Amino acid sequence: GDSVTQMEGPVTLSEEAFLTINCTYTATGYPSLFWYVQYPGEGLQLLLKATKADDKGSNKGFEATYRKETTSFHLEKGSVQVSDSAVYFCALGRYSTLTFGKGTMLLVSP
Amino acid sequence: EAGVVQSPRYKIIEKKQPVAFWCNPISGHNTLYWYLQNLGQGPELLIRYENEEAVDDSQLPKDRFSAERLKGVDSTLKIQPAELGDSAVYLCASSFRDNSYEQYFGPGTRLTVT
């Protein structure tokens, strides 16, 4: 069945550091790919998406490119802020259903 | 615009007791989801409603879990009887049917079964 694998956390960075959170997926066909973010005390919210191979999703300085050849959708940001501290979930969508990874906690210190 | 509302936020019960969770989705969203989130895991779908119809309940443990969405708006998820392994966060989300991957999540109900 469909599955999503994310790098283990927590990822601990200093402010203005470069961020990469790895995500790979297993699925037949051509799923859509997503990153959701959960800030402390809040519900998950959609951060960015890509619906086909080579698409790049971007939002709030975050980017991820849908790489079909490596079945990956890694999340990147050039310069993180303390306010980016949250849990990040990679997800794939097929047949109107989302399958989530386990989440990666990001902690950014001043 | 109000987000997805869930109540209660926290619930502690003894095993074998019943428990119910309530969700009010975003106005106009015809699709509603209930997810289970265990500690350190991502959300796992329990049931999906299109209006008042449950269109995917394949992952709902029907021996003890039930759900309803009367009038296609609010929804209730029930567990009876609860087991120790049911301790988790129960998330509700909603979306427009035509954009089902852009889901809006509530803050969740944290259930502890003792």
Side-chain angles (χ1 to χ4, degrees), chain A residues 34 36 43 89 93-96 101, chain B residues 37 41-43 100-101 103 105-106:
Chain A
F34 307 85
Y36 273 77
F89 293 90
R94 281 204 316 144
Y95 307 125
S96 300
Chain B
Q37 186 176 22
Q41 304 293 317
S100 59
Y101 299 138
Q103 298 179 17
F105 284 78

Side-chain angles (χ1 to χ4, degrees), chain B residues 51-69:
Chain B
N51 299 309
E52 64 275 8
E53 181 183 1
V55 296
D56 184 356
D57 63 356
S58 57
Q59 301 305 309
L60 188 73
K62 299 181 184 64
D63 57 336
R64 297 185 299 108
F65 287 65
S66 64
E68 61 182 10
R69 191 183 183 198

Side-chain angles (χ1 to χ4, degrees), chain A residues 32 34 36 38 41-44 46 49 89 93-98 100-102, chain B residues 9 33 35 37 40-43 45 48 56 91 99-103 105-107:
Chain A
S32 296
F34 307 85
Y36 273 77
Q38 185 174 28
E42 300 182 14
L44 279 78
L46 180 63
K49 65 181 180 182
F89 293 90
R94 281 204 316 144
Y95 307 125
S96 300
T97 297
L98 286 173
F100 289 89
K102 293 183 178 182
Chain B
R9 291 294 308 275
Y33 314 78
Y35 288 90
Q37 186 176 22
Q41 304 293 317
L45 182 68
R48 174 166 63 97
D56 184 356
L91 300 171
N99 194 8
S100 59
Y101 299 138
E102 186 165 350
Q103 298 179 17
F105 284 78

Side-chain angles (χ1 to χ4, degrees), chain A residues 18-41:
Chain A
F18 183 86
L19 168 71
T20 300
I21 299 179
N22 291 337
C23 170
T24 57
Y25 69 91
T26 301
T28 56
Y30 303 94
S32 296
L33 300 174
F34 307 85
W35 278 99
Y36 273 77
V37 59
Q38 185 174 28
Y39 298 103

